[in-house]
Amino acid sequence: MLRNLFHDASRKNMILVSGYVSPEPGRCVQCGICTYNCPIGIDVRLHAMRGEPVRDSRCLTCGECVTLCPRGVLSFEKASPASLKQGTGR
Amino acid sequence: MMRRYVIIGSGAAGVAAAETIRTLDASGLIWIVTADPDGYYSRPGLAYYLTGEAAREQLYPLPNHYWKELGLRWHVDEVERVDPEGHRLVMKGGKDLPYDRLLLATGAKALLPDTPGINLEGVLKLDTLEDADRLLKLARRGQHAVVVGGGITALELAEGLAARGMHVHYFLRGDRFWSGVLDETESRMVERRLQHDGIFLHYNTNLVEVLGRGGRVSGVRAKTGDDACEMACSVVAVAIGIRPRKELAEQAGLLVGRGIRVNQCLQTSHPDIFAAGDAAEVLDPRSGEYVLDSLWNPAIEMGSAAGRGMAGRMTPYQKLVPVNVTRLGGLVTTIIGQVAAKRDALLVDLDLPGIMRGDSEVFRQHPDAVVAQSLHDGSRLRLYLSGGRLVGALIMGEQALSRPVQRLVRSGEDLGELVPQLVAPGARLDEKLWEFVKN
Ligand SMILES: Cc1cc2nc3c(=O)[nH]c(=O)nc-3n(C[C@H](O)[C@H](O)[C@H](O)COP(=O)(O)OP(=O)(O)OC[C@H]3O[C@@H](n4cnc5c(N)ncnc54)[C@H](O)[C@@H]3O)c2cc1C
Ligand code: SF4
Ligand code: SF4
């Protein structure tokens, strides 16, 4: 139930969250739920495995990956709009 | 001459070793020999495959071309024997493979009880992708399933079967869930959520026999206290713990304990043979004891350290305080370091005679420490404090503190004035911890 509530909340947060997705690789078990649920197909798991933040300019910051990761690997780090625009993409 | 590396096992430890070797030796020959036809996939992810949260193909973190780029050779077969003096191994299919450096990354296997009927079709465990496929094939909406065992895997089985529409009966031999690691409040929190999801809990209940018809499971005979009963079901799922796969090492005459004994650089008692992951038994620097883990990230870290040693760069493996993040009845739970609520935690958990998946023997160590706990908003925080430091923590529900607490336990930082504040009666631990980490 709670999960569904969070899920809806995250949708409302679309583009409202400014920041980028940052992983803590030591917690990731490579299950792939984040990648599976990213609406624009970013391989979030690969970022988590390599310990790299998602600095992809296509990232919607919709929070799907952050919310659905069952291991608390992903979180939003604050970033200025300028630093986000420099996203490299993959 | 090119060095020949052979790795037995395609799990987290084996693959991490292969990747590390390749970064240090561009031309060496690297073989992965595995008994698992599905190769490398996320084993903790199997639980989410069962519930339908992850698709099967999503469990493979690395694309096929990756292995080619790494220049690995794969061979699917079971290794039957290792000959340390002849530097070769023999496979079930008859193939003979020579090596210069060998890694035993053979993992652990799920135990089955010796209950009559345990070999009937429809008795399931959750060890491999093949097991998960079988479970999904046999799970039938509206039919009954019995789950026995303890800890994370038993829950994953119960939740997976319930998610597939089965009526799940979870038999607990004792009077509460996972008593080796959780305290009573926490057990009850999880149990209530399971019941809310429609899982029937049967306390103090022992599986006596699995009944069959035509070679397939048709029911179980069980005993609750002195009362015997029979129940019809089509599936019996079992998770009573795991055992390191140490047979190859044992037969090769290597030193073994409960797992394959390794030194700090993950070398076995034979200098050209290394071991890593769930199969290995390593020295825990904090307790001075050899311990077993079944944890994804330590397996990767061990695999990498062993790979470095195999490529000639011996590097001590730094065993960190173990951490697992898991979901118990839908409650996200982080377990860090020593958290056993009682001494002899293994003895008090009738459902789990040893460790299981996602577990560490360190979790069962009962610290000589002061405990502080709080519970609010449906969340739980339990901390163990010893010598002015945090030595273990369990965080259930709200996870905002999970990362900072993990850092505090792993660093062994002196908490100074925070300690008396935490152990003061009625203290709000979360608030005190936030104040501390923010300063
Ligand atoms: C259902 C489940 C849930 C889990 N949950 C968690 C969790 O919540 N958190 C966590 O951290 N960890 C969890 N784990 C544990 C984690 O997956 C293991 O710790 C990790 O996979 C260990 O990696 P390994 O490489 O040592 O062994 P394994 O991944 O077990 O790999 C062993 C390999 O050796 C091969 N092998 C064995 N013997 C032979 C032989 N004789 N010849 C050829 N090949 C052989 C096997 O086929 C396999 O490929 C879970 C595991 C499972 C199955
Ligand atoms: S969902 Fe979380 S644990 Fe799973 S692969 Fe993504 S980051 Fe890792
Ligand atoms: S925040 Fe949304 S768009 Fe960005 S990586 Fe995560 S799921 Fe994909």
PDB file of all heavy atoms in Angstrom, chain A residues 3 24 26-32 36 45 70-75, chain B residues 40 42 44 48 53 58 60-61 296-297 300 324-325 334 402-403 406:
ATOM      1  N   ARG A   3       3.856   1.548  -0.764  1.00  0.00           N
ATOM      2  CA  ARG A   3       4.639   1.644  -1.991  1.00  0.00           C
ATOM      3  C   ARG A   3       3.834   2.356  -3.079  1.00  0.00           C
ATOM      4  O   ARG A   3       4.344   3.181  -3.805  1.00  0.00           O
ATOM      5  CB  ARG A   3       5.032   0.254  -2.479  1.00  0.00           C
ATOM      6  CG  ARG A   3       6.207  -0.312  -1.738  1.00  0.00           C
ATOM      7  CD  ARG A   3       6.394  -1.746  -2.122  1.00  0.00           C
ATOM      8  NE  ARG A   3       6.408  -1.894  -3.580  1.00  0.00           N
ATOM      9  CZ  ARG A   3       7.428  -1.597  -4.357  1.00  0.00           C
ATOM     10  NH1 ARG A   3       8.518  -1.111  -3.832  1.00  0.00           N
ATOM     11  NH2 ARG A   3       7.374  -1.774  -5.651  1.00  0.00           N
ATOM     12  N   GLU A  24      24.508   4.536  -4.093  1.00  0.00           N
ATOM     13  CA  GLU A  24      25.499   4.043  -3.146  1.00  0.00           C
ATOM     14  C   GLU A  24      25.762   2.589  -3.549  1.00  0.00           C
ATOM     15  O   GLU A  24      24.991   1.686  -3.208  1.00  0.00           O
ATOM     16  CB  GLU A  24      24.963   4.119  -1.722  1.00  0.00           C
ATOM     17  CG  GLU A  24      26.040   3.710  -0.747  1.00  0.00           C
ATOM     18  CD  GLU A  24      25.709   4.057   0.684  1.00  0.00           C
ATOM     19  OE1 GLU A  24      25.324   5.201   0.950  1.00  0.00           O
ATOM     20  OE2 GLU A  24      25.856   3.168   1.528  1.00  0.00           O
ATOM     21  N   GLY A  26      27.551   0.070  -2.833  1.00  0.00           N
ATOM     22  CA  GLY A  26      27.691  -1.039  -1.894  1.00  0.00           C
ATOM     23  C   GLY A  26      26.364  -1.671  -1.490  1.00  0.00           C
ATOM     24  O   GLY A  26      26.347  -2.724  -0.866  1.00  0.00           O
ATOM     25  N   ARG A  27      25.255  -1.046  -1.827  1.00  0.00           N
ATOM     26  CA  ARG A  27      23.946  -1.590  -1.463  1.00  0.00           C
ATOM     27  C   ARG A  27      23.248  -2.246  -2.647  1.00  0.00           C
ATOM     28  O   ARG A  27      22.207  -2.870  -2.481  1.00  0.00           O
ATOM     29  CB  ARG A  27      23.031  -0.462  -0.973  1.00  0.00           C
ATOM     30  CG  ARG A  27      23.403   0.041   0.381  1.00  0.00           C
ATOM     31  CD  ARG A  27      22.573   1.267   0.716  1.00  0.00           C
ATOM     32  NE  ARG A  27      22.667   1.475   2.146  1.00  0.00           N
ATOM     33  CZ  ARG A  27      21.635   1.434   2.980  1.00  0.00           C
ATOM     34  NH1 ARG A  27      20.430   1.246   2.531  1.00  0.00           N
ATOM     35  NH2 ARG A  27      21.814   1.603   4.254  1.00  0.00           N
ATOM     36  N   CYS A  28      23.762  -2.045  -3.846  1.00  0.00           N
ATOM     37  CA  CYS A  28      23.054  -2.512  -5.041  1.00  0.00           C
ATOM     38  C   CYS A  28      23.237  -4.020  -5.214  1.00  0.00           C
ATOM     39  O   CYS A  28      24.332  -4.536  -5.073  1.00  0.00           O
ATOM     40  CB  CYS A  28      23.601  -1.786  -6.267  1.00  0.00           C
ATOM     41  SG  CYS A  28      22.896  -2.374  -7.803  1.00  0.00           S
ATOM     42  N   VAL A  29      22.141  -4.711  -5.507  1.00  0.00           N
ATOM     43  CA  VAL A  29      22.224  -6.153  -5.759  1.00  0.00           C
ATOM     44  C   VAL A  29      21.919  -6.466  -7.230  1.00  0.00           C
ATOM     45  O   VAL A  29      21.603  -7.592  -7.587  1.00  0.00           O
ATOM     46  CB  VAL A  29      21.312  -6.976  -4.824  1.00  0.00           C
ATOM     47  CG1 VAL A  29      21.847  -6.963  -3.406  1.00  0.00           C
ATOM     48  CG2 VAL A  29      19.884  -6.464  -4.864  1.00  0.00           C
ATOM     49  N   GLN A  30      21.977  -5.436  -8.074  1.00  0.00           N
ATOM     50  CA  GLN A  30      21.895  -5.596  -9.535  1.00  0.00           C
ATOM     51  C   GLN A  30      20.587  -6.223 -10.010  1.00  0.00           C
ATOM     52  O   GLN A  30      20.562  -6.891 -11.039  1.00  0.00           O
ATOM     53  CB  GLN A  30      23.117  -6.393 -10.036  1.00  0.00           C
ATOM     54  CG  GLN A  30      24.428  -5.751  -9.618  1.00  0.00           C
ATOM     55  CD  GLN A  30      25.657  -6.495 -10.114  1.00  0.00           C
ATOM     56  OE1 GLN A  30      25.555  -7.441 -10.880  1.00  0.00           O
ATOM     57  NE2 GLN A  30      26.832  -6.058  -9.687  1.00  0.00           N
ATOM     58  N   CYS A  31      19.496  -5.991  -9.281  1.00  0.00           N
ATOM     59  CA  CYS A  31      18.228  -6.642  -9.628  1.00  0.00           C
ATOM     60  C   CYS A  31      17.594  -6.066 -10.885  1.00  0.00           C
ATOM     61  O   CYS A  31      16.771  -6.718 -11.524  1.00  0.00           O
ATOM     62  CB  CYS A  31      17.247  -6.546  -8.460  1.00  0.00           C
ATOM     63  SG  CYS A  31      16.675  -4.862  -8.145  1.00  0.00           S
ATOM     64  N   GLY A  32      17.915  -4.815 -11.230  1.00  0.00           N
ATOM     65  CA  GLY A  32      17.429  -4.251 -12.490  1.00  0.00           C
ATOM     66  C   GLY A  32      16.075  -3.564 -12.420  1.00  0.00           C
ATOM     67  O   GLY A  32      15.579  -3.081 -13.437  1.00  0.00           O
ATOM     68  N   TYR A  36      14.449  -1.208 -15.412  1.00  0.00           N
ATOM     69  CA  TYR A  36      13.185  -1.715 -15.952  1.00  0.00           C
ATOM     70  C   TYR A  36      12.114  -0.628 -15.924  1.00  0.00           C
ATOM     71  O   TYR A  36      11.262  -0.546 -16.802  1.00  0.00           O
ATOM     72  CB  TYR A  36      12.776  -2.906 -15.086  1.00  0.00           C
ATOM     73  CG  TYR A  36      11.581  -3.697 -15.548  1.00  0.00           C
ATOM     74  CD1 TYR A  36      11.448  -4.108 -16.864  1.00  0.00           C
ATOM     75  CD2 TYR A  36      10.596  -4.079 -14.634  1.00  0.00           C
ATOM     76  CE1 TYR A  36      10.355  -4.864 -17.266  1.00  0.00           C
ATOM     77  CE2 TYR A  36       9.506  -4.841 -15.028  1.00  0.00           C
ATOM     78  CZ  TYR A  36       9.390  -5.221 -16.350  1.00  0.00           C
ATOM     79  OH  TYR A  36       8.326  -5.975 -16.737  1.00  0.00           O
ATOM     80  N   ARG A  45      20.856   0.882 -13.433  1.00  0.00           N
ATOM     81  CA  ARG A  45      21.631  -0.154 -12.746  1.00  0.00           C
ATOM     82  C   ARG A  45      23.118  -0.050 -13.086  1.00  0.00           C
ATOM     83  O   ARG A  45      23.965  -0.183 -12.197  1.00  0.00           O
ATOM     84  CB  ARG A  45      21.119  -1.536 -13.139  1.00  0.00           C
ATOM     85  CG  ARG A  45      22.082  -2.661 -12.724  1.00  0.00           C
ATOM     86  CD  ARG A  45      21.512  -4.025 -12.912  1.00  0.00           C
ATOM     87  NE  ARG A  45      20.940  -4.247 -14.226  1.00  0.00           N
ATOM     88  CZ  ARG A  45      20.165  -5.287 -14.531  1.00  0.00           C
ATOM     89  NH1 ARG A  45      19.873  -6.173 -13.631  1.00  0.00           N
ATOM     90  NH2 ARG A  45      19.691  -5.434 -15.739  1.00  0.00           N
ATOM     91  N   PRO A  70      14.444  -1.433  -4.246  1.00  0.00           N
ATOM     92  CA  PRO A  70      14.081  -2.047  -2.959  1.00  0.00           C
ATOM     93  C   PRO A  70      15.203  -1.996  -1.926  1.00  0.00           C
ATOM     94  O   PRO A  70      15.000  -2.437  -0.799  1.00  0.00           O
ATOM     95  CB  PRO A  70      13.783  -3.497  -3.358  1.00  0.00           C
ATOM     96  CG  PRO A  70      14.564  -3.734  -4.611  1.00  0.00           C
ATOM     97  CD  PRO A  70      14.704  -2.427  -5.295  1.00  0.00           C
ATOM     98  N   ARG A  71      16.372  -1.464  -2.284  1.00  0.00           N
ATOM     99  CA  ARG A  71      17.528  -1.528  -1.386  1.00  0.00           C
ATOM    100  C   ARG A  71      18.023  -0.162  -0.927  1.00  0.00           C
ATOM    101  O   ARG A  71      19.123  -0.077  -0.386  1.00  0.00           O
ATOM    102  CB  ARG A  71      18.683  -2.249  -2.090  1.00  0.00           C
ATOM    103  CG  ARG A  71      18.286  -3.586  -2.672  1.00  0.00           C
ATOM    104  CD  ARG A  71      18.578  -4.685  -1.705  1.00  0.00           C
ATOM    105  NE  ARG A  71      17.836  -5.875  -2.071  1.00  0.00           N
ATOM    106  CZ  ARG A  71      17.992  -7.048  -1.504  1.00  0.00           C
ATOM    107  NH1 ARG A  71      18.861  -7.207  -0.538  1.00  0.00           N
ATOM    108  NH2 ARG A  71      17.279  -8.083  -1.864  1.00  0.00           N
ATOM    109  N   GLY A  72      17.283   0.880  -1.242  1.00  0.00           N
ATOM    110  CA  GLY A  72      17.720   2.213  -0.816  1.00  0.00           C
ATOM    111  C   GLY A  72      19.070   2.608  -1.381  1.00  0.00           C
ATOM    112  O   GLY A  72      19.876   3.257  -0.719  1.00  0.00           O
ATOM    113  N   VAL A  73      19.328   2.213  -2.628  1.00  0.00           N
ATOM    114  CA  VAL A  73      20.619   2.508  -3.258  1.00  0.00           C
ATOM    115  C   VAL A  73      20.643   3.931  -3.802  1.00  0.00           C
ATOM    116  O   VAL A  73      21.664   4.617  -3.767  1.00  0.00           O
ATOM    117  CB  VAL A  73      20.880   1.525  -4.430  1.00  0.00           C
ATOM    118  CG1 VAL A  73      22.161   1.885  -5.169  1.00  0.00           C
ATOM    119  CG2 VAL A  73      20.916   0.089  -3.934  1.00  0.00           C
ATOM    120  N   LEU A  74      19.486   4.385  -4.301  1.00  0.00           N
ATOM    121  CA  LEU A  74      19.447   5.634  -5.068  1.00  0.00           C
ATOM    122  C   LEU A  74      18.845   6.770  -4.259  1.00  0.00           C
ATOM    123  O   LEU A  74      17.915   6.565  -3.483  1.00  0.00           O
ATOM    124  CB  LEU A  74      18.611   5.416  -6.335  1.00  0.00           C
ATOM    125  CG  LEU A  74      19.036   4.233  -7.205  1.00  0.00           C
ATOM    126  CD1 LEU A  74      17.988   3.940  -8.265  1.00  0.00           C
ATOM    127  CD2 LEU A  74      20.389   4.502  -7.839  1.00  0.00           C
ATOM    128  N   SER A  75      19.401   7.978  -4.454  1.00  0.00           N
ATOM    129  CA  SER A  75      18.786   9.147  -3.832  1.00  0.00           C
ATOM    130  C   SER A  75      19.055  10.342  -4.729  1.00  0.00           C
ATOM    131  O   SER A  75      19.902  10.278  -5.617  1.00  0.00           O
ATOM    132  CB  SER A  75      19.365   9.377  -2.437  1.00  0.00           C
ATOM    133  OG  SER A  75      20.748   9.601  -2.532  1.00  0.00           O
TER     134      SER A  75
ATOM    135  N   TYR B  40      25.548 -15.621 -15.356  1.00  0.00           N
ATOM    136  CA  TYR B  40      25.598 -14.572 -14.335  1.00  0.00           C
ATOM    137  C   TYR B  40      24.284 -13.797 -14.300  1.00  0.00           C
ATOM    138  O   TYR B  40      23.872 -13.231 -15.302  1.00  0.00           O
ATOM    139  CB  TYR B  40      26.735 -13.608 -14.650  1.00  0.00           C
ATOM    140  CG  TYR B  40      26.878 -12.477 -13.661  1.00  0.00           C
ATOM    141  CD1 TYR B  40      27.185 -12.727 -12.337  1.00  0.00           C
ATOM    142  CD2 TYR B  40      26.705 -11.150 -14.047  1.00  0.00           C
ATOM    143  CE1 TYR B  40      27.314 -11.688 -11.419  1.00  0.00           C
ATOM    144  CE2 TYR B  40      26.848 -10.102 -13.146  1.00  0.00           C
ATOM    145  CZ  TYR B  40      27.155 -10.387 -11.830  1.00  0.00           C
ATOM    146  OH  TYR B  40      27.298  -9.362 -10.922  1.00  0.00           O
ATOM    147  N   SER B  42      21.350 -11.669 -11.282  1.00  0.00           N
ATOM    148  CA  SER B  42      21.198 -11.184  -9.906  1.00  0.00           C
ATOM    149  C   SER B  42      20.421 -12.204  -9.085  1.00  0.00           C
ATOM    150  O   SER B  42      19.221 -12.375  -9.264  1.00  0.00           O
ATOM    151  CB  SER B  42      20.455  -9.850  -9.897  1.00  0.00           C
ATOM    152  OG  SER B  42      20.104  -9.526  -8.562  1.00  0.00           O
ATOM    153  N   PRO B  44      19.881 -12.072  -5.687  1.00  0.00           N
ATOM    154  CA  PRO B  44      18.891 -11.417  -4.819  1.00  0.00           C
ATOM    155  C   PRO B  44      17.665 -10.950  -5.619  1.00  0.00           C
ATOM    156  O   PRO B  44      16.568 -10.838  -5.072  1.00  0.00           O
ATOM    157  CB  PRO B  44      19.661 -10.220  -4.255  1.00  0.00           C
ATOM    158  CG  PRO B  44      21.097 -10.637  -4.321  1.00  0.00           C
ATOM    159  CD  PRO B  44      21.216 -11.456  -5.575  1.00  0.00           C
ATOM    160  N   TYR B  48      12.282 -10.669  -6.667  1.00  0.00           N
ATOM    161  CA  TYR B  48      11.450  -9.691  -7.386  1.00  0.00           C
ATOM    162  C   TYR B  48      10.920 -10.278  -8.686  1.00  0.00           C
ATOM    163  O   TYR B  48       9.898  -9.828  -9.201  1.00  0.00           O
ATOM    164  CB  TYR B  48      12.243  -8.402  -7.630  1.00  0.00           C
ATOM    165  CG  TYR B  48      12.947  -7.917  -6.385  1.00  0.00           C
ATOM    166  CD1 TYR B  48      14.311  -7.655  -6.370  1.00  0.00           C
ATOM    167  CD2 TYR B  48      12.235  -7.776  -5.197  1.00  0.00           C
ATOM    168  CE1 TYR B  48      14.950  -7.256  -5.224  1.00  0.00           C
ATOM    169  CE2 TYR B  48      12.870  -7.372  -4.032  1.00  0.00           C
ATOM    170  CZ  TYR B  48      14.235  -7.111  -4.052  1.00  0.00           C
ATOM    171  OH  TYR B  48      14.869  -6.719  -2.913  1.00  0.00           O
ATOM    172  N   GLU B  53       7.938  -7.980  -9.922  1.00  0.00           N
ATOM    173  CA  GLU B  53       8.483  -6.615  -9.970  1.00  0.00           C
ATOM    174  C   GLU B  53       9.638  -6.484 -10.957  1.00  0.00           C
ATOM    175  O   GLU B  53       9.989  -5.389 -11.371  1.00  0.00           O
ATOM    176  CB  GLU B  53       8.993  -6.198  -8.586  1.00  0.00           C
ATOM    177  CG  GLU B  53       7.893  -5.957  -7.587  1.00  0.00           C
ATOM    178  CD  GLU B  53       8.454  -5.949  -6.190  1.00  0.00           C
ATOM    179  OE1 GLU B  53       8.548  -7.025  -5.574  1.00  0.00           O
ATOM    180  OE2 GLU B  53       8.815  -4.873  -5.717  1.00  0.00           O
ATOM    181  N   GLN B  58      15.540  -9.036 -17.150  1.00  0.00           N
ATOM    182  CA  GLN B  58      16.113  -7.922 -16.419  1.00  0.00           C
ATOM    183  C   GLN B  58      17.118  -8.376 -15.356  1.00  0.00           C
ATOM    184  O   GLN B  58      17.887  -7.588 -14.831  1.00  0.00           O
ATOM    185  CB  GLN B  58      14.963  -7.159 -15.748  1.00  0.00           C
ATOM    186  CG  GLN B  58      15.221  -5.718 -15.518  1.00  0.00           C
ATOM    187  CD  GLN B  58      15.411  -4.963 -16.812  1.00  0.00           C
ATOM    188  OE1 GLN B  58      14.575  -5.043 -17.701  1.00  0.00           O
ATOM    189  NE2 GLN B  58      16.509  -4.248 -16.926  1.00  0.00           N
ATOM    190  N   TYR B  60      19.652 -10.152 -15.780  1.00  0.00           N
ATOM    191  CA  TYR B  60      21.028 -10.231 -16.302  1.00  0.00           C
ATOM    192  C   TYR B  60      21.599  -8.816 -16.370  1.00  0.00           C
ATOM    193  O   TYR B  60      21.206  -8.042 -17.229  1.00  0.00           O
ATOM    194  CB  TYR B  60      21.041 -10.848 -17.697  1.00  0.00           C
ATOM    195  CG  TYR B  60      20.572 -12.277 -17.749  1.00  0.00           C
ATOM    196  CD1 TYR B  60      19.263 -12.594 -18.071  1.00  0.00           C
ATOM    197  CD2 TYR B  60      21.448 -13.319 -17.469  1.00  0.00           C
ATOM    198  CE1 TYR B  60      18.836 -13.912 -18.111  1.00  0.00           C
ATOM    199  CE2 TYR B  60      21.022 -14.634 -17.508  1.00  0.00           C
ATOM    200  CZ  TYR B  60      19.708 -14.923 -17.829  1.00  0.00           C
ATOM    201  OH  TYR B  60      19.296 -16.220 -17.856  1.00  0.00           O
ATOM    202  N   PRO B  61      22.526  -8.475 -15.481  1.00  0.00           N
ATOM    203  CA  PRO B  61      23.012  -7.099 -15.459  1.00  0.00           C
ATOM    204  C   PRO B  61      23.942  -6.763 -16.627  1.00  0.00           C
ATOM    205  O   PRO B  61      24.128  -5.593 -16.938  1.00  0.00           O
ATOM    206  CB  PRO B  61      23.800  -6.992 -14.146  1.00  0.00           C
ATOM    207  CG  PRO B  61      23.490  -8.241 -13.390  1.00  0.00           C
ATOM    208  CD  PRO B  61      23.099  -9.275 -14.394  1.00  0.00           C
ATOM    209  N   TRP B 296      25.797 -10.367  -1.345  1.00  0.00           N
ATOM    210  CA  TRP B 296      26.168 -10.035  -2.717  1.00  0.00           C
ATOM    211  C   TRP B 296      27.429  -9.157  -2.780  1.00  0.00           C
ATOM    212  O   TRP B 296      28.384  -9.485  -3.482  1.00  0.00           O
ATOM    213  CB  TRP B 296      24.971  -9.325  -3.375  1.00  0.00           C
ATOM    214  CG  TRP B 296      25.151  -8.993  -4.801  1.00  0.00           C
ATOM    215  CD1 TRP B 296      25.507  -7.779  -5.304  1.00  0.00           C
ATOM    216  CD2 TRP B 296      24.983  -9.876  -5.923  1.00  0.00           C
ATOM    217  NE1 TRP B 296      25.548  -7.860  -6.676  1.00  0.00           N
ATOM    218  CE2 TRP B 296      25.233  -9.122  -7.077  1.00  0.00           C
ATOM    219  CE3 TRP B 296      24.638 -11.227  -6.050  1.00  0.00           C
ATOM    220  CZ2 TRP B 296      25.156  -9.669  -8.351  1.00  0.00           C
ATOM    221  CZ3 TRP B 296      24.562 -11.770  -7.316  1.00  0.00           C
ATOM    222  CH2 TRP B 296      24.822 -10.996  -8.451  1.00  0.00           C
ATOM    223  N   ASN B 297      27.432  -8.043  -2.042  1.00  0.00           N
ATOM    224  CA  ASN B 297      28.558  -7.129  -2.185  1.00  0.00           C
ATOM    225  C   ASN B 297      29.869  -7.643  -1.599  1.00  0.00           C
ATOM    226  O   ASN B 297      30.910  -7.502  -2.234  1.00  0.00           O
ATOM    227  CB  ASN B 297      28.190  -5.734  -1.677  1.00  0.00           C
ATOM    228  CG  ASN B 297      27.473  -4.969  -2.769  1.00  0.00           C
ATOM    229  OD1 ASN B 297      28.055  -4.643  -3.791  1.00  0.00           O
ATOM    230  ND2 ASN B 297      26.184  -4.752  -2.595  1.00  0.00           N
ATOM    231  N   ILE B 300      31.414  -9.787  -4.185  1.00  0.00           N
ATOM    232  CA  ILE B 300      32.096  -9.021  -5.239  1.00  0.00           C
ATOM    233  C   ILE B 300      33.455  -8.532  -4.732  1.00  0.00           C
ATOM    234  O   ILE B 300      34.476  -8.653  -5.414  1.00  0.00           O
ATOM    235  CB  ILE B 300      31.231  -7.816  -5.689  1.00  0.00           C
ATOM    236  CG1 ILE B 300      29.974  -8.331  -6.400  1.00  0.00           C
ATOM    237  CG2 ILE B 300      32.023  -6.869  -6.582  1.00  0.00           C
ATOM    238  CD1 ILE B 300      29.000  -7.237  -6.806  1.00  0.00           C
ATOM    239  N   ASN B 324      23.034  -5.673   5.190  1.00  0.00           N
ATOM    240  CA  ASN B 324      22.065  -6.099   4.188  1.00  0.00           C
ATOM    241  C   ASN B 324      20.836  -5.201   4.271  1.00  0.00           C
ATOM    242  O   ASN B 324      20.443  -4.766   5.347  1.00  0.00           O
ATOM    243  CB  ASN B 324      21.643  -7.561   4.359  1.00  0.00           C
ATOM    244  CG  ASN B 324      20.885  -8.061   3.129  1.00  0.00           C
ATOM    245  OD1 ASN B 324      20.984  -7.489   2.036  1.00  0.00           O
ATOM    246  ND2 ASN B 324      20.118  -9.118   3.296  1.00  0.00           N
ATOM    247  N   VAL B 325      20.306  -4.905   3.104  1.00  0.00           N
ATOM    248  CA  VAL B 325      19.055  -4.155   3.034  1.00  0.00           C
ATOM    249  C   VAL B 325      18.055  -5.109   2.407  1.00  0.00           C
ATOM    250  O   VAL B 325      18.317  -5.669   1.348  1.00  0.00           O
ATOM    251  CB  VAL B 325      19.178  -2.910   2.131  1.00  0.00           C
ATOM    252  CG1 VAL B 325      17.922  -2.059   2.258  1.00  0.00           C
ATOM    253  CG2 VAL B 325      20.412  -2.116   2.465  1.00  0.00           C
ATOM    254  N   THR B 334      17.189  -2.515   7.151  1.00  0.00           N
ATOM    255  CA  THR B 334      18.638  -2.542   7.015  1.00  0.00           C
ATOM    256  C   THR B 334      19.231  -3.169   8.277  1.00  0.00           C
ATOM    257  O   THR B 334      18.846  -2.794   9.391  1.00  0.00           O
ATOM    258  CB  THR B 334      19.206  -1.111   6.841  1.00  0.00           C
ATOM    259  OG1 THR B 334      18.598  -0.530   5.697  1.00  0.00           O
ATOM    260  CG2 THR B 334      20.714  -1.137   6.633  1.00  0.00           C
ATOM    261  N   SER B 402      19.433   5.208   7.422  1.00  0.00           N
ATOM    262  CA  SER B 402      20.156   3.980   7.168  1.00  0.00           C
ATOM    263  C   SER B 402      21.596   4.215   6.676  1.00  0.00           C
ATOM    264  O   SER B 402      22.538   3.575   7.132  1.00  0.00           O
ATOM    265  CB  SER B 402      19.308   3.136   6.212  1.00  0.00           C
ATOM    266  OG  SER B 402      20.044   2.395   5.362  1.00  0.00           O
ATOM    267  N   ARG B 403      21.758   5.150   5.751  1.00  0.00           N
ATOM    268  CA  ARG B 403      23.124   5.409   5.259  1.00  0.00           C
ATOM    269  C   ARG B 403      24.026   6.029   6.320  1.00  0.00           C
ATOM    270  O   ARG B 403      25.141   5.569   6.525  1.00  0.00           O
ATOM    271  CB  ARG B 403      23.076   6.286   4.016  1.00  0.00           C
ATOM    272  CG  ARG B 403      22.511   5.564   2.801  1.00  0.00           C
ATOM    273  CD  ARG B 403      22.932   6.330   1.573  1.00  0.00           C
ATOM    274  NE  ARG B 403      22.023   6.109   0.460  1.00  0.00           N
ATOM    275  CZ  ARG B 403      22.239   6.601  -0.756  1.00  0.00           C
ATOM    276  NH1 ARG B 403      23.303   7.337  -0.994  1.00  0.00           N
ATOM    277  NH2 ARG B 403      21.402   6.379  -1.723  1.00  0.00           N
ATOM    278  N   GLN B 406      24.925   3.367   8.835  1.00  0.00           N
ATOM    279  CA  GLN B 406      25.891   2.424   8.238  1.00  0.00           C
ATOM    280  C   GLN B 406      27.312   3.007   8.312  1.00  0.00           C
ATOM    281  O   GLN B 406      28.267   2.325   8.672  1.00  0.00           O
ATOM    282  CB  GLN B 406      25.486   2.164   6.790  1.00  0.00           C
ATOM    283  CG  GLN B 406      26.480   1.297   6.019  1.00  0.00           C
ATOM    284  CD  GLN B 406      26.040   1.099   4.563  1.00  0.00           C
ATOM    285  OE1 GLN B 406      24.858   1.012   4.267  1.00  0.00           O
ATOM    286  NE2 GLN B 406      27.006   1.026   3.675  1.00  0.00           N
TER     287      GLN B 406
END
